[in-house]
């Protein structure tokens, strides 16, 4: 079980920057002053990035602790 936690820690640690990359590339790609849809509005993208950026950073922190083995302790070890 501990090896699964460490493998998933690596996955979460790598998934955070990927999510951040796709957030910013999606914003750059979709923001268009001449566009008529809501997705072309920069205010919507600021809101999306403001909400999901801390989630992605928290995912990286969670992955770091899983990789270091912080979640490998049993309740009897406390």
């Amino acid at each position: 079980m501990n090896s699964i936690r460490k493998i998933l820690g690596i996955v979460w640690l790598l998934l955070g920057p990927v999510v951040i990359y796709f957030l910013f590339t999606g914003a750059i790609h979709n923001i268009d002053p001449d566009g008529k849809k809501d997705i072309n509005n920069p205010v919507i993208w600021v809101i999306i990035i403001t909400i999901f950026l801390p989630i992605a950073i928290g995912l990286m922190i969670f992955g770091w602790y899983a990789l270091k083995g912080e979640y490998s302790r049993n309740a009897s070890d406390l």
Side-chain angles (χ1 to χ4, degrees):
M1 189 67 171
N2 290 336
S3 61
I4 294 172
R5 288 182 186 142
K6 289 191 180 200
I7 291 170
L8 287 175
I10 293 171
V11 170
W12 291 321
L13 196 57
L14 295 175
L15 192 64
V18 171
V19 169
I20 293 170
Y21 171 77
F22 281 120
L23 277 173
F24 283 105
T25 56
I28 291 169
H29 177 69
N30 287 317
I31 292 176
D32 184 19
D34 297 329
K36 302 286 183 193
K37 298 180 182 176
D38 286 338
I39 198 74
N40 301 121
N41 191 351
V43 174
I44 302 298
W45 280 102
V46 169
I47 293 169
I48 291 171
I49 290 172
T50 303
I51 291 171
F52 286 107
L53 190 64
I55 293 172
I57 292 171
L59 189 66
M60 290 187 301
I61 293 170
F62 188 71
W64 176 254
Y65 283 130
L67 184 63
K68 287 183 66 170
E70 293 291 325
Y71 301 118
S72 299
R73 295 188 199 132
N74 294 330
S76 62
D77 293 341
L78 298 175

